[in-house]
Amino acid sequence: MNIPFLGNRGEKHGVRDAAGIAELLSECELLRSHAAQEGVQLDDSASSLEALDQLVPRWRDDEETLRRLGNDAGLYLGTVIVRTVPGAAWEIWPDGQPVVRLVSGREFDVVASGQEWAVSGVPELSQLYAEVAEE
């Protein structure tokens, strides 16, 4: 997911601060709406990732929804990591791609992982979280 409006313009308008970026990236409206329709509350916890992994993937029939939901799933995974893994933080690459930087310095492309999950369900979001949380 490329977020071009966070480029230089974002820096000029104060959007580059960590809290502003985290708030913007945590919205995940389509995923939150879809989860709520299925009775799943997304509370930014690791257990909510497990609940997402259990959803029936009805979105796979619609290419546009699949792409958008995959982006949201990745951003939600990143949100959970940033809020629960000590030292994890959002980083925006120069091309606008949001990634999570771990305290080890490793950068984790959560959007690519979310898109893989939306398409195939593998690897599970909760599994990805567990791998990152152990690092």
Side-chain angles (χ1 to χ4, degrees):
M1 175 179 178
N2 185 320
I3 306 179
F5 61 87
L6 284 179
N8 293 335
R9 197 178 113 224
E11 288 175 354
K12 291 177 187 172
H13 292 91
V15 178
R16 285 296 228 180
D17 68 273
I21 290 172
E23 182 180 337
L24 178 67
L25 297 177
S26 71
E27 289 180 2
C28 313
E29 285 183 39
L30 180 62
L31 181 69
R32 290 182 188 276
S33 172
H34 183 77
Q37 289 173 1
E38 298 292 325
V40 174
Q41 180 183 2
L42 300 184
D43 60 1
D44 301 344
S45 69
S47 62
S48 67
L49 294 172
E50 294 172 8
L52 283 173
D53 289 335
Q54 301 305 311
L55 292 179
V56 175
R58 293 183 180 98
W59 58 82
R60 291 186 184 147
D61 296 335
D62 179 348
E63 188 65 34
E64 177 63 19
T65 300
L66 177 67
R67 185 186 62 73
R68 289 182 52 223
L69 194 90
N71 282 336
D72 277 9
L75 294 175
Y76 184 72
L77 172 61
T79 296
V80 174
I81 292 169
V82 167
R83 292 187 177 167
T84 62
V85 174
W90 285 107
E91 178 87 17
I92 306 296
W93 286 343
D95 67 356
Q97 178 72 16
V99 297
V100 172
R101 178 180 285 266
L102 305 175
V103 76
S104 67
R106 177 179 166 216
E107 292 180 338
F108 186 57
D109 187 348
V110 291
V111 172
S113 296
Q115 290 171 339
E116 289 175 33
W117 173 83
V119 169
S120 67
V122 177
E124 293 182 333
L125 298 175
S126 59
Q127 176 186 354
L128 292 166
Y129 173 82
E131 291 171 13
V132 168
E134 289 177 6
E135 189 169 308

